[in-house]
Structures are given as structure tokens and as C-alpha cells.
Amino acid sequence: MKHIIAATVLMAVSSGTALAGGTHAGGHGDKAATMPIGNPGEAGKAKRTVNISMSEKDDGTMLFQPAVLRVKKGETVRLKFVNKGQVDHEFVMDVHKGIMEHKALMEKFPEMEHADPNSIRLAPGARGEIIWTFANAGEFGFACLIPGHYDSGMKGDITVSN
Ligand SMILES: [Cu+2]
């Protein structure tokens, strides 16, 4: 029951973000297409692969490497992830405001798991990928929103240039 409530709240937050971004295309049920950061891409259009690792250090720091991504507006990129750490990690990309709203939600509902196309969760040692088309220029962010991880350093920036 808790999961259902969390999912409903998350959908409300996400659609609110999309509306605020002014890119709502009017298509319900296709939330990804309305995100300011872009939409799932076609594998055949991905000309570039970016490898991103997730890990923890002995001092408790958690990090993404690299923590800065630079892409071009309209570019489709294959983001390949590997969790080199000892605990689960996730990657969520969005506008900064969306990340902070999502972070607060995850702190309220720590058991929440989601399968949004702009996110991926990996167990220790696991690999995965997201093929994404960055539709709009601007400053975006990514983060691991498992409670405590963002504050331990798991965040990064995505600059989409014209
Ligand atoms: Cu994490």
C-alpha cells in the first residue's frame, strides 16, 4: 500500500515539473516525453557512449565518476553504468528542482522503487544502461536519491549546450 501511495505522489510531482517546464505535450501516459531533460532515445542514434561508475570510498564518501556530463542539444547518448560499490546505487537525471523534490520524496518513502526511464537502480557489481536524447539546452543534474547518498556526494551536473 505504501508503494502505491508513493508512486501516486511521485507521478503528481513529476507531471507538475513537466508543466512548470512548459513542455507538456498533452500526452498522458507518456510522461518521459514531457520531461525538460529529454526522452528515451533509439539505440541506433547513439553515436557516443559515456561510462559512469558508482562507488563508495573508505571515508564514507559516495560518488559518480565522472560527475560532470556535457552533451549537445538533440544528441542521443548511451549512458553505461557500473556499480563498483558494496551497496545499491541509483542514477536519476532531471532538472535540479525535480531532483530536490524527488530527494525529499525518497526520504519520506525510503522503500520506494521506481522504474522511470530517466533512472536506473543497480545492485553491487551490476551494470546497466540508459539511451537518452537530450532534447533541450540547459543545466540539469543527476543524483543517487537513496536516502543519505546524495548528501554523501552522489550528485553531478549535466550541461546541454546548443
Ligand atoms: Cu547511491
Side-chain angles (χ1 to χ4, degrees), residues 54 62 64 87-90 144-146 149-150 154:
M54 304 142 150
M62 297 179 171
F64 289 104
V87 299
D88 279 22
H89 289 300
E90 64 171 23
C144 173
L145 298 177
I146 294 172
H149 292 208
Y150 179 100
M154 288 196 85

Side-chain angles (χ1 to χ4, degrees), residues 28-144:
H28 292 277
D30 192 12
K31 179 162 66 80
T34 70
M35 295 190 76
I37 194 169
N39 50 273
E42 291 170 40
K45 288 188 177 159
K47 303 274 187 274
R48 189 154 72 96
T49 297
V50 177
N51 292 290
I52 301 170
S53 72
M54 304 142 150
S55 60
E56 313 99 39
K57 289 204 264 187
D58 290 341
D59 65 2
T61 308
M62 297 179 171
L63 68 161
F64 289 104
Q65 288 175 297
V68 176
L69 305 182
R70 287 191 178 83
V71 300
K72 286 239 180 330
K73 181 183 172 183
E75 187 178 5
T76 298
V77 180
R78 182 187 303 268
L79 302 169
K80 283 183 96 170
F81 303 93
V82 56
N83 181 351
K84 293 183 175 172
Q86 308 293 315
V87 299
D88 279 22
H89 289 300
E90 64 171 23
F91 170 96
V92 180
M93 58 183 164
D94 202 347
V95 293
H96 289 290
K97 184 168 170 277
I99 285 178
M100 296 321 285
E101 286 171 355
H102 196 160
K103 177 174 184 281
L105 206 59
M106 288 284 284
E107 284 162 1
K108 249 187 226 169
F109 304 100
E111 300 304 313
M112 187 172 75
E113 290 191 21
H114 28 76
D116 303 306
N118 60 318
S119 73
I120 189 167
R121 181 170 177 140
L122 296 173
R127 291 171 184 275
E129 67 175 35
I130 296 175
I131 296 169
W132 195 258
T133 300
F134 293 88
N136 300 295
E139 299 293 329
F140 302 92
F142 62 90
C144 173

